[in-house]
Amino acid sequence: MLGHKSLSRSSSFQVENLGQNPLVLVGSLCCTIVVFGVLIFTFFVATYQPSDPLFHPSTKTTTFPTSTSNATFRSDISILKTDEDLLASKQSTFDAFINLTDVVVPAVINSECESDIGSPIDCTDPEIFQLMMMAAIEHFKDIHFYRFGKSVQGSNDSTCDMAWRFRPKERKTASFFKDYRRFLISSSGNCNYAVVGIGEYHSGLNARKRKTNQKTGSASKQQLPDAGLLMFGETVNDSLTVVESEAAFSKGRYLIYMGGGDRCKSMNHYLWSFSCALGEAQYLKRTLVVDLSICLSSIYTASKQDEEGKDFRFYFDFEHLKESASVLELNEFWKGWAKWQKKDDLSLHLVEDFRVTPMKLVNVKDALIMRKFGSVEPDNYWYRVCEGETASVIQRPWHMIWKSRWLMDIVSAIAARLNWDFDSVHVVRGEKAKNTGLWPNLVADTAPEALRSTLNGKIKDGRNLYVVTNEPNTSFFDPLKDCYSTHFLNDYRDLWDEKSEWYMETKKLNDGVSAEFDGYMRAEVNTEMFLRGKKQIETFNDLTSDCKNGINTCHSTS
């Protein structure tokens, strides 16, 4: 009735009454202006599309977790910095390391000792333990020791194995590392012992703890001195979470992203989209259903073709992701869904427009929210969900994404063989060297004699020099051997060959099929090795006057 009365009153206005009702006239005019303005605003909002952050220049894309260093190889095969790298910017609260003076010196002579020369070594003897600690601290001068494990029997009666946690002295990471070595010990009688040899990195296998919970299949872990630090060299449990309980599955709430144009793109693109999905799941307090099968872009493959069937766990730490976030592998989810969906009346909420923000989905009660992406790029990229107003709401949880510890163990092994005491240089050649229009000086500035001359003023003679390069023939750098001990990634093929731990573990993940040590893995290891060099020499910052992005771009913000 109120609506009818208002309509009647409006229709009763006469022309002669306008002068008597000026306020009514002004009010009607203002109302018309407001309505017209709302229509314009609505049209603008409906048609406006925020620009893609991925296509912004790197200097403007401040939300990418990139390294603070401007390593030149990031533009060739870009490696995003993940959380274990960002930890380096945090000051650790655990800085007390073990010095040689902290170790009790074992007795040298004990006339009452009944030990004979050649008798078995008792690795549980505290004096043997102290002797091994002293030998390790004296031998590895470029690392700080933070904790020693108990010494245990080695492969025979004259060897003992021992593990420890450490950091390089001139560390550029807040992470701890774990090593375990085999010690060869001799006896000269009267319990006078001496360490006569220390094995290679990770040689003391009996000191590596592999305590497994038979019920969950997960490896038990010792508490680190600082819970915020990553440990390399520990047992990795990348097994899938299996949902065995109907109640646990049916009470859960899930989010899944299906389809889209992100597949076979660069790994940076993949991570940018994946982190968006992970952030939305965290915001909605839902379990993210994760497809661990990755399509590796042709820029990383030997075949120069996109390759399907790569495992997420080859590149990223799935164990840490499971511990940090609520995630469930795709195939395991669909098994549970097929088993209990009808029985428990589990409902599905389908979203086919990325403009439907996570904020609008907060009150959805359905068991599964499925975001389905179409075929038109770039509107079918997952990361579009996190654009616009959502960007200030969804926080990408980079702290949940760590690099594969199998790859990081390769980094640790190479660094250990160099005694954590080396410098690094990155030499860009390849296609850029061929394009003299954009990089006119690059060929001459990266020639062996020019390199030797430039490095002479930056790195001391005789140093270990780790060379990162896209030059396929490493013999090209032979002239540098006159001044330095040069090292390349391929010098350490044994760390991923058929006898390596990496090979065995990735083969298990790959259903018994051997995995390729591909271009992204190589770039990741090379990146980490470069960043661990005590001195780091860049191509476009140190070796040549050419601009990184081509002629006349040195001071460009693009």
Side-chain angles (χ1 to χ4, degrees):
M1 294 297 294
L2 289 175
H4 287 298
K5 288 182 180 179
S6 298
L7 180 61
S8 176
R9 185 178 299 122
S10 298
S11 61
S12 66
F13 283 142
Q14 302 295 327
V15 175
E16 60 267 28
N17 293 331
L18 288 178
Q20 301 173 3
N21 300 282
L23 293 178
V24 173
L25 178 60
V26 173
S28 299
L29 182 61
C30 291
C31 180
T32 302
I33 293 173
V34 169
V35 170
F36 185 68
V38 169
L39 288 174
I40 293 176
F41 177 77
T42 303
F43 175 79
F44 175 77
V45 170
T47 57
Y48 172 69
Q49 294 183 11
S51 58
D52 294 339
L54 194 68
F55 303 129
H56 288 179
S58 60
T59 53
K60 295 180 181 179
T61 313
T62 56
T63 48
F64 270 96
T66 51
S67 169
T68 54
S69 76
N70 46 5
T72 49
F73 41 88
R74 238 186 6 253
S75 63
D76 299 326
I77 296 182
S78 183
I79 303 294
L80 282 183
K81 304 301 291 179
T82 49
D83 187 63
E84 72 270 28
D85 306 294
L86 303 181
L87 286 171
S89 63
K90 303 175 183 178
Q91 179 64 37
S92 171
T93 57
F94 188 83
D95 285 329
F97 57 87
I98 302 172
N99 286 300
L100 194 62
T101 54
D102 298 322
V103 182
V104 178
V105 180
V108 177
I109 297 178
N110 185 347
S111 59
E112 299 179 0
C113 181
E114 298 178 356
S115 173
D116 295 324
I117 298 176
S119 61
I121 303 297
D122 180 10
C123 297
T124 63
D125 186 336
E127 291 190 357
I128 296 293
F129 177 53
Q130 299 287 341
L131 185 69
M132 292 168 64
M133 285 196 293
M134 290 181 62
I137 294 173
E138 289 177 337
H139 184 75
F140 302 106
K141 298 184 183 300
D142 283 288
I143 66 175
H144 282 153
F145 294 85
Y146 285 84
R147 181 182 296 175
F148 285 95
K150 294 180 180 179
S151 57
V152 296
Q153 194 65 46
S155 59
N156 53 49
D157 291 340
S158 61
T159 59
C160 298
D161 292 358
M162 184 172 67
W164 57 79
R165 288 174 176 159
F166 70 95
R167 289 193 188 119
K169 284 185 178 179
E170 296 186 21
R171 67 182 187 270
K172 293 180 174 62
T173 172
S175 306
F176 276 118
F177 297 85
K178 183 178 182 180
D179 197 356
Y180 32 91
R181 304 265 185 157
R182 181 151 292 166
F183 292 72
L184 178 61
I185 301 173
S186 68
S187 170
S188 58
N190 293 328
C191 291
N192 293 330
Y193 300 103
V195 173
V196 295
I198 301 177
E200 293 293 330
Y201 178 80
H202 281 192
S203 57
L205 295 176
N206 293 341
R208 181 178 185 179
K209 292 190 176 182
R210 288 181 177 273
K211 294 182 179 180
T212 302
N213 186 318
Q214 298 298 327
K215 184 175 181 180
T216 63
S218 62
S220 62
K221 298 183 178 210
Q222 298 176 341
Q223 285 294 318
L224 294 177
D226 184 339
L229 295 178
L230 174 64
M231 171 60 71
F232 299 117
E234 296 279 16
T235 302
V236 180
N237 175 25
D238 274 338
S239 60
L240 304 180
T241 302
V242 178
V243 181
E244 298 179 347
S245 167
E246 175 185 353
F249 184 88
S250 297
K251 289 181 180 178
R253 292 294 178 264
Y254 306 93
L255 171 68
I256 185 171
Y257 280 34
M258 298 293 291
D262 303 273
R263 206 156 184 85
C264 303
K265 296 295 192 298
S266 73
M267 200 66 85
N268 280 8
H269 182 128
Y270 170 79
L271 283 177
W272 193 238
S273 285
F274 178 76
S275 62
C276 173
L278 198 59
E280 182 179 23
Q282 190 176 37
Y283 174 79
L284 296 176
K285 295 181 174 59
R286 287 177 173 264
T287 296
L288 181 66
V289 180
V290 179
D291 184 0
L292 294 182
S293 178
I294 293 177
C295 175
L296 190 66
S297 170
S298 60
I299 64 176
Y300 310 115
T301 64
S303 66
K304 303 303 178 184
Q305 301 292 322
D306 296 337
E307 295 181 2
E308 290 279 2
K310 300 293 184 177
D311 198 301
F312 177 95
R313 295 169 290 181
F314 290 171
Y315 312 100
F316 307 106
D317 188 344
F318 188 60
E319 179 181 10
H320 175 68
L321 183 62
K322 288 186 299 182
E323 294 174 349
S324 306
S326 180
V327 295
L328 185 60
E329 192 269 333
L330 181 68
N331 293 326
E332 291 298 326
F333 170 78
W334 286 127
K335 287 178 185 178
W337 187 262
K339 196 172 183 179
W340 296 305
Q341 186 265 329
K342 289 185 178 179
K343 181 180 178 182
D344 297 331
D345 193 27
L346 303 178
S347 55
L348 164 68
H349 184 88
L350 181 64
V351 181
E352 295 185 278
D353 189 344
F354 72 85
R355 296 177 186 84
V356 178
T357 67
M359 295 78 83
K360 294 179 180 178
L361 301 175
V362 169
N363 296 321
V364 172
K365 303 299 182 184
D366 301 86
L368 173 63
I369 294 178
M370 177 187 288
R371 281 195 180 271
K372 191 174 181 180
F373 296 82
S375 58
V376 180
E377 299 185 22
D379 285 349
N380 63 353
Y381 293 159
W382 291 4
Y383 67 74
R384 298 303 300 270
V385 173
C386 294
E387 292 182 338
E389 61 176 317
T390 306
S392 62
V393 177
I394 298 298
Q395 301 298 317
R396 282 182 161 82
W398 294 111
H399 63 283
M400 298 178 180
I401 304 173
W402 286 356
K403 297 184 187 74
S404 162
R405 279 191 281 161
W406 299 118
L407 287 178
M408 296 304 293
D409 280 345
I410 289 178
V411 174
S412 301
I414 298 173
R417 291 184 185 182
L418 297 175
N419 292 319
W420 297 89
D421 184 19
F422 62 94
D423 301 312
S424 56
V425 59
H426 180 229
V427 184
V428 174
R429 289 181 61 83
E431 294 301 319
K432 288 188 176 181
K434 296 176 183 178
N435 191 337
T436 56
L438 289 179
W439 295 278
N441 304 302
L442 187 58
V443 172
D445 290 341
T446 57
E449 293 303 324
L451 284 175
R452 188 166 61 176
S453 175
T454 303
L455 293 177
N456 184 52
K458 300 176 182 294
I459 297 177
K460 294 181 180 179
D461 284 359
R463 292 281 297 163
N464 283 319
L465 182 65
Y466 189 89
V467 183
V468 179
T469 183
N470 56 355
E471 175 65 44
N473 183 12
T474 57
S475 63
F476 176 83
F477 299 96
D478 281 353
L480 295 181
K481 293 181 179 179
D482 293 340
C483 301
Y484 309 106
S485 176
T486 57
H487 306 269
F488 302 87
L489 180 58
N490 279 344
D491 295 341
Y492 304 94
R493 290 189 188 92
D494 62 296
L495 295 175
W496 62 83
D497 68 12
E498 294 182 1
K499 297 180 180 180
S500 69
E501 191 171 14
W502 176 89
Y503 181 89
M504 298 300 181
E505 293 300 331
T506 52
K507 189 174 181 179
K508 289 179 185 176
L509 294 180
N510 209 29
D511 296 326
V513 180
S514 60
E516 176 194 1
F517 193 70
D518 58 52
Y520 189 77
M521 298 173 187
R522 289 173 175 273
E524 191 165 0
V525 172
N526 265 332
T527 300
E528 294 299 325
M529 284 301 300
F530 179 87
L531 294 175
R532 280 162 176 72
K534 289 185 175 179
K535 287 187 178 180
Q536 301 163 11
I537 307 300
E538 298 274 7
T539 299
F540 297 105
N541 291 335
D542 304 303
L543 300 179
T544 182
S545 59
D546 282 353
C547 304
K548 181 178 179 180
N549 296 316
I551 195 167
N552 297 327
T553 63
C554 289
H555 302 291
S556 174
T557 58
S558 62

